Amino acid sequence: MNPFKRFTGTVAPLDRSNVDTDAIIPKQFLKSIKRTGFGPNLFDEWRYLDRGEPGVECSNRPLNPEFVLNAPRYQGAQILLTRDNFGCGSSREHAPWALDDYGFRVIIAPGFADIFFNNCFKNGLLPIVLSTEIVDRLFQQAAGERALELTVDLQAQSIILPNGEGIGFEVGEFRKHCLLNGLDDIELTLQHVDAIKSYEAARQQQAPWLFS
Amino acid sequence: MKTLYDKLWEAHIVRSEADGTSLLYIDRHLVHEVTSPQAFEGLRLAERRPWRTEANLATPDHNVPTQNRDEGIVDPIARLQVETLGKNCREFGITEFEMDDIRQGIVHVVGPEEGATLPGMTLVCGDSHTATHGALGALAFGIGTSEVEHVLATQCLIQKKSKSMLIKIEGKLGDGVDAKDLVLAVIGKIGTAGGTGYAIEFAGEAIRNLSIEGRMTVCNMTIEAGARVGLVAVDETTIEYVKGRPYAPEGEIWDQAVAAWRDLHSDEGAHFDRVVTLDASQIQPQMTWGTSPEMVVPVTGVVPDPAQEPDPAKADGMRRALEYMGLEAGTPCSEIRPDVVFIGSCTNSRIEDLRDAAAIAKGRKVAKSIKQALVVPGSGLVKQQAEEEGLDKIFIQAGFEWRDPGCSMCLAMNADRLEPGERCASTSNRNFEGRQGAGGRTHLVGPAMAAAAAVTGHFVDVRSL
């Protein structure tokens, strides 16, 4: 995983609540045995006018002009601004893979579904929870004459608006450390092999039926 | 004084970080074809082996065909994924119930059925409906593929403890009201994000009176209320259910296990961060009308009007849902006519569900307006038992199709799917846009209600048949 560095990016506003992972990446693309290449099918049913199938080249498919990500001003957006309970539903990690592959690095919402939230951190994506009031304000600014650009500074736990105003956000210390340093969870856990083995030995004594 | 969740959590901590992030030991890992290939590939690239091979149990379910199995899987991409699961299980020595094995089925039906899910376990699977197993007093939750790899490699997961919620269902459910109605009513009350950040324990007389199958239906849908974990305390019903199953302990170890399991309940007076109480006797048969499981009404009611919704964001979501569903506010539920009926999924494909549906289908015929009515048992063993009881004949005589086990039309990864605009009475768990096929319209109901919609051609209060 690449370390998460401070960056400035364009905000794409997706004004819907309860965006589920079926909408983020529809089921037919889950048949892939790879973890890359999902970006062109991100939000497939909303983004294109025809029906998407795995293995079909997307560059010639008819785009839905009504869908926000298709607007020219949001091309290359790295920050997705959305509403409450983003990522609800299925645990498919294909959802953060698709968002990442598309080019998003940060998602801002008043709330996220638990499994999706967790999956983001495993893929270097930063989900940021902000109050409904602040999210409302960002939506207004994103709808302005020019697309909104924000700077995201994870180290300082701050989002910086174009006028220099900073908005703080919360992130778990451990997750922050892992993101900033691009650490792999499995490597970290395997530093504790002895602890796992001693837990296992004690547990086997206590609850042998779990080890038969 | 501890909650059941506290007890399960504490018993599995290997170590903790200063901020409370814990390394949690995982007793059982269920594996299917969709969320595992990238995890096995990760293991191979890092030259790792599974930490404890026998803790894993695999079966293909999402992609498998539910008919003409002897022809194999026609879709080459789906076939490759199912074959990849087989190849990975063989390479790493993991037990797999393959497509031609009578024990194959939906992971969340197979685990409990085999006794591979035991009270007091931590159990994970790369599938959000893993909360199902909490019905047996196991701490069970869905994970993503990175975590699937993490469990394979280390037998642990890095987790933060959730807040706790107690949902108490007092009193008794009325006749013709089932576990699905109960959980839909709960979701209608707390909302689809109401459980986010919580582990939910279900308790109260109505829960105690449910069979394990019914409790599984309830826990299965906790994720639809936003919670990863759903739990029910262990009681005699749990112990009776587990006894004698292939993976369950025997003899002296069985007695030892039962003694430990008897402590798997929340202590009297234990603190919950939130408590919600519902009166079971007030719960009516439910059906969803919209595109989120919280968009639910009693079948005796009407499609709600966004104009009556004070929250503008919610009203907007309701309008969008009405448009997608092709419905008008104020329409009585009984005037909504499905094109397709689907009885199956990890929510409602166990023997009891099939019995409930068959009791309605018996001696009746699927209405002519119904294009397709599918019954998809949750596992090969459920199918076998249903056939022993003659349920297959009841369904077939009524005009239902009797299929082979798998996830099928719940998420439509195989050939079982809705066409654009088709409306479905479905016993599954999600009514999201496109969930059962692009443009498909899903109404979630319990198995008896689905069968009732099939034989009358419209949604109907099953109690009136």
Side-chain angles (χ1 to χ4, degrees), chain A residues 15-18 20-23 27-35 38 45-46 51 53-55 84-85 88-94 97 112-115 118-119 122-123 172-175 184-190 192-193 195-197 199-200 203 205-212, chain B residues 11-15 17 19 21 23 25 27 34 37-38 48 51-52 63 75 77-78 80-81 84 118 120-121 126-128 142-147 149-150 153-154 156 158 192-193 196-197 223 226 228 249 253 256-257 260-261 294 320 411-413 417 430 432-438:
Chain A
D15 196 357
R16 277 183 173 227
S17 39
N18 299 323
D20 57 77
T21 53
D22 275 83
K27 85 276 289 156
Q28 62 268 36
F29 305 107
L30 273 50
K31 293 176 192 170
S32 168
I33 57 171
K34 301 195 177 112
R35 67 192 301 159
F38 295 101
E45 283 180 20
W46 292 341
R51 193 187 141 78
E53 286 297 340
D84 199 19
N85 202 28
C88 61
S90 146
S91 65
R92 60 189 70 165
E93 198 160 316
H94 311 69
W97 293 341
F112 293 91
D114 286 345
I115 302 178
N118 197 37
N119 283 342
K122 313 285 181 199
N123 293 283
E173 228 170 277
F174 180 73
R175 283 173 164 153
D184 168 46
D185 278 359
I186 297 177
E187 281 296 337
L188 283 176
T189 298
L190 288 174
H192 304 293
V193 165
I196 303 171
K197 285 190 172 157
Y199 170 90
E200 236 171 11
R203 186 75 175 153
Q205 288 293 313
Q206 213 180 25
W209 57 89
L210 295 174
F211 294 83
S212 52
Chain B
H12 290 90
I13 296 175
V14 173
R15 62 184 303 279
E17 300 286 337
D19 75 345
T21 306
L23 194 61
Y25 190 81
D27 297 313
V34 177
Q38 300 86 351
R48 292 179 178 128
W51 180 278
R52 190 153 73 86
N63 265 313
D75 175 354
I77 310 176
L80 176 64
Q81 197 170 51
T84 301
L118 294 175
M121 270 185 166
D127 189 280
S128 61
I143 56 177
T145 298
S146 294
E147 291 188 316
E149 185 181 341
H150 196 282
T154 70
C156 293
I158 300 170
T192 189
T196 303
I223 188 70
R228 293 173 83 178
I253 296 191
Q256 208 183 326
W261 295 343
E294 70 182 11
R320 212 185 314 239
L411 87 165
M413 271 189 82
R417 65 177 73 139
R430 288 187 177 133
F432 300 155
E433 286 185 21
R435 170 77 178 183
Q436 294 191 288

Side-chain angles (χ1 to χ4, degrees), chain B residues 109-435:
Chain B
V109 176
V110 170
E113 181 174 82
E114 287 295 313
T117 306
L118 294 175
M121 270 185 166
T122 41
L123 181 151
V124 296
C125 174
D127 189 280
S128 61
H129 290 110
T130 308
T132 310
H133 308 261
L136 290 151
L139 177 56
F141 51 92
I143 56 177
T145 298
S146 294
E147 291 188 316
V148 168
E149 185 181 341
H150 196 282
V151 165
L152 283 167
T154 70
Q155 211 53 47
C156 293
L157 282 176
I158 300 170
Q159 295 289 305
K160 254 196 137 163
K161 200 175 172 188
S162 303
K163 292 178 283 184
S164 62
M165 187 189 301
L166 177 67
I167 297 187
K168 250 182 141 164
I169 321 283
E170 310 275 21
K172 291 187 171 66
L173 289 173
D175 286 341
V177 182
D178 67 12
K180 183 66 162 286
D181 300 317
L182 189 161
V183 70
L184 284 173
V186 167
I187 296 164
K189 184 174 169 90
I190 71 171
T192 189
T196 303
Y198 288 92
I200 296 179
E201 180 177 345
F202 294 93
E205 187 186 355
I207 298 291
R208 294 263 74 84
N209 287 343
L210 288 176
S211 65
I212 293 299
E213 285 84 354
R215 295 177 192 181
M216 286 199 253
T217 300
V218 172
C219 289
N220 173 275
M221 286 194 72
T222 41
I223 188 70
E224 264 55 71
R228 293 173 83 178
V229 169
L231 287 167
V232 176
V234 171
D235 60 10
E236 287 309 315
T237 308
T238 324
I239 291 164
E240 270 310 303
Y241 178 92
V242 174
K243 197 172 185 178
R245 295 195 178 262
Y247 282 69
E250 294 172 316
E252 219 175 288
I253 296 191
W254 167 260
D255 296 336
Q256 208 183 326
V258 169
W261 295 343
R262 290 200 191 281
D263 186 46
L264 294 175
H265 55 80
S266 290
D267 296 330
E268 192 69 39
H271 170 78
F272 288 87
D273 299 298
R274 189 178 167 198
V275 178
V276 175
T277 308
L278 267 85
D279 178 356
S281 69
Q282 297 303 307
I283 298 174
Q284 310 291 316
Q286 306 279 310
M287 68 176 275
T288 63
W289 59 268
T291 53
S292 164
E294 70 182 11
M295 294 173 169
V296 65
V297 287
V299 68
T300 49
V302 300
V303 175
D305 186 354
Q308 308 288 322
E309 172 57 53
D311 176 351
K314 253 194 172 160
D316 189 42
M318 287 170 75
R319 271 186 283 273
R320 212 185 314 239
L322 285 177
E323 194 191 328
Y324 181 85
M325 294 296 289
L327 290 173
E328 301 269 338
T331 307
C333 290
S334 58
E335 287 178 14
I336 301 174
R337 306 180 74 86
D339 306 298
V340 174
V341 174
F342 171 62
I343 298 172
S345 89
C346 58
T347 314
N348 281 126
S349 64
R350 298 177 182 83
I351 190 67
E352 201 172 86
D353 303 315
L354 302 188
R355 285 180 193 142
D356 283 355
I360 300 293
K362 194 171 184 177
R364 295 188 169 100
K365 289 277 178 208
V366 170
K368 287 204 171 64
S369 57
I370 303 289
K371 294 184 204 164
Q372 187 174 43
L374 290 184
V375 185
V376 184
S379 72
L381 289 168
V382 169
K383 187 178 189 200
Q384 186 181 49
Q385 188 179 349
E387 288 174 353
E388 280 165 15
E389 295 180 15
L391 305 185
D392 57 325
K393 291 195 181 62
I394 294 174
F395 286 122
I396 292 165
Q397 276 164 13
F400 288 85
E401 295 176 40
W402 180 246
R403 296 291 189 90
D404 288 321
C407 300
S408 179
M409 203 185 272
C410 172
L411 87 165
M413 271 189 82
N414 70 353
D416 309 334
R417 65 177 73 139
L418 298 180
E419 292 302 317
E422 276 185 344
R423 190 180 296 287
C424 183
S426 180
T427 66
S428 55
N429 39 57
R430 288 187 177 133
N431 50 353
F432 300 155
E433 286 185 21
R435 170 77 178 183

